[in-house]
Amino acid sequence: MRKSILALFLVAGLWGWSPILAQSQPPAAQPKQAKAAQSESTPIEAAGHQWWQHAVFYEIYPRSFADSNNDGIGDLPGITSKLDYLKQLGVDAIWITPCYPSPQVDFGYDVSDYEDIDPIYGTLSDFDKLQQDGQQRGIRIIMDLVLNHTSDQHQWFIDSRSSRNSRHRDWYIWRDGKTSPASANAASGTPKQLQPPNNWISLFGGSAWQYDPKTKQYYYHFFFPQQPDLNWRNPAVREAMFDVTRWWYDRGVSGFRLDAVGALFEDPSLHDNPILPGKNAYGDPNMENKYNFNLPEVHDVLKGLRKIADRYDAVLIGETATNNIDQLEQFYGRHNDELQMPMDFLFTDIDKLSPPAFRKQIAAVNATGGWPVYVIGNHDIERSYTRYGDGKHNDAIAKVMAGLYLTLRGTPIMYYGEEIGIEQNDPKSKAAVKDPIGKLGWPYEKGRDGERTPMQWTDKVNAGFSKIRPWLPVSDNYRTHNVASEQKDPNSILRFYEELLALRHTNQALLDGDYVALNENDPNVMSYLRRYKDEAVLVVLNMSAEPQKASFNLLPQGFSAQEAKTLLTTMPEMKDRAGVSAMTLAPFSVYIGEIAGPATHN
Ligand code: NOJ
Ligand code: CA
């Protein structure tokens, strides 16, 4: 099963390929979901926390969310038209993947102008309207900032490649090629005799160096050749990008998700990377990205970006690919002066329902002292519904995963469609592939189209996304898994998300409580307390396909109560209360309950 694209940022070749799980069966009948005991009160104000620590973030891939003008591609007015839906769901901030002008080689991650909107998505006025309408509903906008590279159609690069003396030449990474001994003897001057400056390969296949005949040098690209890497050792690049952030903050955005931060710097001496055994999906040698990823210089850039962000009370979210928890810890900054929200992909990469693996990673990220950021899906990773699903209990499993990461201490970032159970829909043939990495790596790498399919609004044609055929086919499960149908069904994944997010916004222990792991040797049932002063919430998740028993003695945690008052559960028999000393848990079930007052008061 395909893991995060990020695994490759670290060690090319450790990215595993195996067939996608068999298509899921129709969902098995689920027990009626008990209604959350929610308070109608207004959301609790941050108790010493920043706004982003209490917020629920939601990633939108704009091509695929809602198409307002029926050209088959989603757009900004489409997002604006769905703000009420997002509000009702419980979303506080939306991160929109790049919607700047772009040739769309990498669907927006190849930016040709950082201070405008691509016409396929609308105009700056459409952006302002989205921003204002969002503000009225308390929904903030987070932009995606592609720092590592631009499009080859950006004016900076067009100028850079025009001559060796151009103003922007040193904004990108240009080097002479190597001349092999054999070619040195041959007729000189033809590009064929040159070798790239070193052995680095692109994450997206082939050499990371592209020869440019006009000026007879190579430029470096960690991603596609149409995405030349900026030279972050040039102070002018730094200033230009810092200005871009000011420009958007002044327009009202509340922060940025920083793309591929680990890729910003390369070893200036261009040492060859160590080669590993085997080949990747593109036929390139596997390689450890030792000299071109996660170099220490990135931290200085992040400190600079953070200083500006702080002036605007803005948040910086990082696409932080890390090998281990120490690397992740560094992204918070020694003095908490870098990223407020580096995503923990070590958590995301646990793709089995494994309580021991989740416990270990949660403990590790908590131990960093940084505020955890949890993600279970995004536009580069196989859909969570399919990745965690077993093909039989996928709806129940989707609720278990929500029950986990939306009740942990930290900030969650949802991926659009996760809340209705959109399933993976990989292209059926090479000809159908849109993502260039799928064309290049087929059939081993099918690309990322499967996790980017249109949002499923209704069970009608094109899932209500567009009146014409969408740019990608909708997932096969849209007839059962769509917003309109799930809003009507009290047992749906969507209703579970709504109730869970409402609870998260109003329960102080879930917002601010510490995390105390319980029954840590249980291989099937994941359980913990969220404890805030005299209050505690007990979360119990049966991650197995069998019924399980669980027993809790909460005295050591300061709670003598033998019963919990139910806040939300998938088990109807526990809809009001549950005895905690002997619980019987249905397969793939969720129990969330309040534990009354501390032992000393009982
Ligand atoms: C990471 C993004 O999430 C991915 O979609 C993109 O292709 C690369 N960075 C390059 O910008
Ligand atoms: Ca459109």
Side-chain angles (χ1 to χ4, degrees):
M1 131 179 356
R2 182 156 57 79
K3 287 205 175 189
S4 156
I5 192 172
L6 296 152
L8 260 191
F9 284 0
L10 298 163
V11 182
L14 295 188
W15 198 6
W17 288 274
S18 69
I20 295 298
L21 285 176
Q23 293 296 313
S24 60
Q25 308 297 313
Q30 296 297 309
K32 198 169 147 45
Q33 196 170 287
K35 208 180 147 29
Q38 284 161 28
S39 114
E40 293 299 319
S41 61
T42 52
I44 291 170
E45 289 304 312
H49 281 97
Q50 307 289 318
W51 67 265
W52 45 268
Q53 291 178 293
H54 278 188
V56 171
F57 288 71
Y58 183 96
E59 179 192 349
I60 291 181
Y61 199 69
R63 292 182 83 83
S64 296
F65 195 60
D67 179 13
S68 74
N69 62 350
N70 294 305
D71 63 357
I73 298 176
D75 42 60
L76 296 187
I79 300 174
T80 308
S81 73
K82 301 296 183 185
L83 285 170
D84 286 334
Y85 165 75
L86 295 169
K87 183 73 195 164
Q88 158 81 13
L89 176 58
V91 167
D92 305 293
I94 53 176
W95 146 35
I96 307 172
T97 63
C99 52
Y100 315 101
S102 161
Q104 304 291 332
V105 170
D106 191 15
F107 299 113
Y109 282 98
D110 46 323
V111 179
S112 53
D113 180 354
Y114 287 86
E115 297 178 355
D116 206 345
I117 297 293
D118 193 297
I120 59 170
Y121 297 128
T123 62
L124 274 173
S125 310
D126 293 327
F127 177 85
D128 291 339
K129 169 116 175 72
L130 169 61
Q131 160 83 38
Q132 282 150 17
D133 287 12
Q135 200 169 23
Q136 278 167 15
R137 292 163 177 80
I139 297 177
R140 299 171 183 257
I141 312 291
I142 306 295
M143 294 296 269
D144 200 323
L145 191 60
V146 188
L147 296 165
N148 176 66
H149 48 271
T150 67
S151 159
D152 63 349
Q153 299 307 306
H154 195 293
Q155 284 308 318
W156 299 339
F157 189 72
I158 291 173
D159 180 55
S160 185
R161 85 188 319 179
S162 68
S163 102
R164 289 198 184 199
N165 302 318
S166 72
R167 182 178 153 222
H168 293 94
R169 183 66 172 183
D170 194 36
W171 284 43
Y172 296 84
I173 298 164
W174 292 97
R175 290 286 191 284
D176 289 334
K178 284 199 291 203
T179 312
S180 66
S183 63
N185 296 332
S188 61
T190 62
K192 277 196 185 113
Q193 293 164 333
L194 285 177
Q195 304 290 324
N198 68 10
N199 76 348
W200 297 351
I201 54 162
S202 159
L203 183 70
F204 289 166
S207 169
W209 296 95
Q210 178 75 22
Y211 185 76
D212 203 45
K214 174 115 198 258
T215 56
K216 299 191 169 56
Q217 280 194 312
Y218 286 82
Y219 67 84
Y220 175 68
H221 56 93
F222 190 66
F223 298 97
F224 291 123
Q226 296 90 338
Q227 294 169 298
D229 273 47
L230 284 160
N231 174 15
W232 274 88
R233 297 183 191 278
N234 182 342
V237 166
R238 184 181 160 112
E239 265 325 297
M241 276 298 183
F242 284 15
D243 277 348
V244 168
T245 71
R246 289 186 194 98
W247 193 87
W248 284 103
Y249 290 139
D250 287 338
R251 237 183 158 92
V253 310
S254 296
F256 290 94
R257 174 267 191 186
L258 306 179
D259 185 63
V261 283
L264 293 201
F265 286 88
E266 300 77 29
D267 167 29
S269 316
L270 304 190
H271 283 96
D272 277 349
N273 276 331
I275 301 286
L276 300 170
K279 296 209 160 153
N280 67 19
Y282 312 110
D284 299 319
N286 289 329
M287 169 172 299
E288 180 188 349
N289 287 323
K290 180 169 176 184
Y291 293 107
N292 58 343
F293 202 76
N294 277 349
L295 268 60
E297 290 90 328
V298 70
H299 296 287
D300 184 50
V301 171
L302 297 179
K303 284 187 182 73
L305 286 166
R306 175 64 182 275
K307 277 200 182 113
I308 304 170
D310 280 347
R311 275 181 225 135
Y312 291 89
D313 189 25
V315 70
L316 296 178
I317 303 171
E319 191 200 19
T320 34
T322 59
N323 264 333
N324 54 55
I325 201 71
D326 295 339
Q327 284 181 350
L328 182 67
E329 184 170 356
Q330 287 171 29
F331 280 111
Y332 289 101
R334 203 163 286 162
H335 306 287
N336 266 323
D337 52 357
E338 297 187 26
L339 302 176
Q340 298 103 317
M341 287 179 52
M343 298 185 210
D344 180 9
F345 287 106
L346 299 165
F347 176 90
T348 316
D349 280 342
I350 302 168
D351 51 20
K352 294 270 169 298
L353 292 184
S354 165
F358 287 129
R359 276 184 208 116
K360 195 168 161 216
Q361 187 54 29
I362 293 162
V365 72
N366 279 336
T368 66
W371 184 254
V373 181
Y374 295 111
V375 175
I376 61 169
N378 71 25
H379 62 285
D380 297 326
I381 309 177
E382 187 182 15
R383 280 272 177 194
S384 57
Y385 184 82
T386 305
R387 194 153 48 94
Y388 298 107
D390 65 355
K392 276 193 192 152
H393 308 94
N394 285 21
D395 283 20
I397 292 171
K399 292 175 191 171
V400 169
M401 283 309 296
L404 171 65
Y405 93 110
L406 298 173
T407 62
L408 289 174
R409 175 184 163 275
T411 298
I413 306 179
M414 295 170 55
Y415 182 48
Y416 83 93
E418 167 195 315
E419 74 276 21
I420 53 169
I422 293 188
E423 66 185 357
Q424 185 75 7
N425 189 33
D426 281 327
K428 307 291 182 286
S429 68
K430 185 175 175 184
V433 175
K434 295 281 190 334
D435 181 4
I437 69 168
K439 291 185 186 160
L440 200 64
W442 189 271
Y444 306 107
E445 170 52 67
K446 293 187 169 143
R448 297 161 292 177
D449 296 351
E451 56 260 32
R452 299 173 173 180
T453 59
M455 180 64 176
Q456 297 166 190
W457 296 104
T458 69
D459 62 358
K460 302 287 177 315
V461 65
N462 303 324
F465 164 80
S466 178
K467 290 209 170 96
I468 72 157
R469 206 163 104 170
W471 76 286
L472 282 178
V474 294
S475 280
D476 297 335
N477 73 347
Y478 80 95
R479 284 193 188 81
T480 48
H481 291 71
N482 61 74
V483 171
S485 308
E486 293 194 40
Q487 271 170 344
K488 286 186 224 134
D489 174 3
N491 293 326
S492 66
I493 302 174
L494 178 60
R495 292 283 287 273
F496 186 80
Y497 264 81
E498 282 178 357
E499 292 174 8
L500 187 48
L501 293 181
L503 187 57
R504 200 193 144 86
H505 281 107
T506 49
N507 184 291
Q508 189 93 50
L510 288 179
L511 285 170
D512 297 318
D514 55 9
Y515 162 91
V516 185
L518 301 171
N519 296 3
E520 291 193 73
N521 293 323
D522 191 323
N524 298 305
V525 179
M526 170 102 194
S527 53
Y528 45 92
L529 275 190
R530 296 294 314 283
R531 197 177 51 178
Y532 184 82
K533 297 184 181 164
D534 287 358
E535 298 168 29
V537 168
L538 172 69
V539 179
V540 187
L541 307 161
N542 181 359
M543 296 192 160
S544 77
E546 310 297 329
Q548 300 290 343
K549 295 211 180 298
S551 161
F552 300 100
N553 169 16
L554 303 174
L555 263 184
Q557 284 78 39
F559 294 86
S560 62
Q562 296 293 303
E563 262 200 347
K565 181 170 161 267
T566 303
L567 297 169
L568 180 63
T569 184
T570 54
M571 294 171 287
E573 64 279 14
M574 296 187 204
K575 72 178 180 14
D576 297 323
R577 20 195 78 250
V580 298
S581 52
M583 290 179 97
T584 302
L585 304 157
F588 299 119
S589 57
V590 178
Y591 180 82
I592 305 172
E594 211 163 38
I595 303 289
T600 47
H601 298 174
N602 274 0

